Amino acid sequence: MVECFECKRKQQVCGTATSTICPGCSAHIDLRDYKITSGFSRTIRTRGDVHVTAKGDLSSTTVVCNSALIEGINFVGKLSGRLTARHVTIERKADIQCFRRMKVESIAIKGKMSGEIIAQMVMVHKKGSLEGNVTARAISVEKGGVFSGQLIIGQAHLTQGELLPEQKPAAASMPEADISGVAPQPLPAT
């Protein structure tokens, strides 16, 4: 099953297909996997996977894919474009700096990464390091892993501006969350 990038209509395709046309809006849907082994700067928009090898240099302005695997890079890798994927894995030897927001369902950081992430789930593994702003539904940092930056736990699809509270009448307002580190005390029964 693949979903159209434009109209979000889903269709079933053969597993060996490399592309298809959406029956709803006639948009082209790329289904290929990309393996980046040298310099690559074209935009990628595929329902397949993207694999950046240790010698790969990805400088595309936009990458949209099913999943991305970023291997150890011999130098500090820089992702200047926007990366959107279901799942991203930053391998153990990778040292990645992302200049644009990364939007993913889940990300596993085994190496070193800096940048802004919007995700459902962020996992920083043992010896992994993440520096930057994270908006996620959940985050897990294993013993030996490091996270440094701002963290917003909540609806992962919202941007910072959308996370700001709206002005509501006093009667309809919700109490603010207690972030002091002290567990809230139950109210006495009446």
Side-chain angles (χ1 to χ4, degrees):
M1 291 297 288
V2 295
E3 182 180 78
C4 177
F5 291 107
E6 305 300 326
C7 72
K8 306 298 182 204
R9 182 173 175 171
K10 293 182 180 178
Q11 67 172 307
Q12 189 168 356
V13 296
C14 175
T16 59
T18 59
S19 68
T20 188
I21 300 294
C22 176
C25 69
S26 299
H28 177 264
I29 304 169
D30 188 357
L31 303 172
R32 295 176 292 173
D33 292 338
Y34 288 80
K35 186 171 186 177
I36 312 299
T37 58
S38 62
F40 190 89
S41 61
R42 291 190 348 235
T43 295
I44 298 174
R45 191 166 98 157
T46 183
R47 290 296 180 203
D49 300 332
V50 173
H51 177 185
V52 182
T53 67
K55 295 184 179 182
D57 180 15
L58 183 61
S59 59
S60 304
T61 56
T62 304
V63 176
V64 178
C65 61
N66 182 49
S67 69
L69 173 64
I70 302 172
E71 285 187 9
I73 294 179
N74 298 331
F75 55 93
V76 175
K78 296 179 181 175
L79 296 177
S80 56
R82 177 172 290 129
L83 176 61
T84 303
R86 253 192 192 142
H87 180 74
V88 173
T89 301
I90 307 296
E91 284 294 335
R92 176 108 20 234
K93 294 180 182 179
D95 186 349
I96 305 298
Q97 184 177 7
C98 296
F99 293 104
R100 290 201 171 166
R101 179 182 302 140
M102 184 182 292
K103 190 171 184 180
V104 298
E105 282 185 26
S106 66
I107 183 167
I109 301 167
K110 299 174 182 177
K112 185 176 180 183
M113 181 187 159
S114 66
E116 182 179 357
I117 300 172
I118 295 180
Q120 295 292 322
M121 178 63 185
V122 176
M123 295 166 283
V124 180
H125 292 268
K126 181 179 180 179
K127 297 184 182 179
S129 172
L130 171 59
E131 181 180 333
N133 299 334
V134 174
T135 302
R137 285 195 177 271
I139 185 170
S140 170
V141 180
E142 291 182 356
K143 186 176 181 177
V146 176
F147 168 71
S148 173
Q150 283 189 305
L151 175 63
I152 298 171
I153 297 293
Q155 295 180 338
H157 66 278
L158 298 179
T159 62
Q160 181 64 32
E162 293 170 316
L163 287 168
L164 296 174
E166 294 180 34
Q167 297 297 324
K168 297 181 183 177
S173 66
M174 297 292 292
E176 291 186 22
D178 179 11
I179 58 170
S180 64
V182 178
Q185 299 299 314
L187 296 173
T190 56

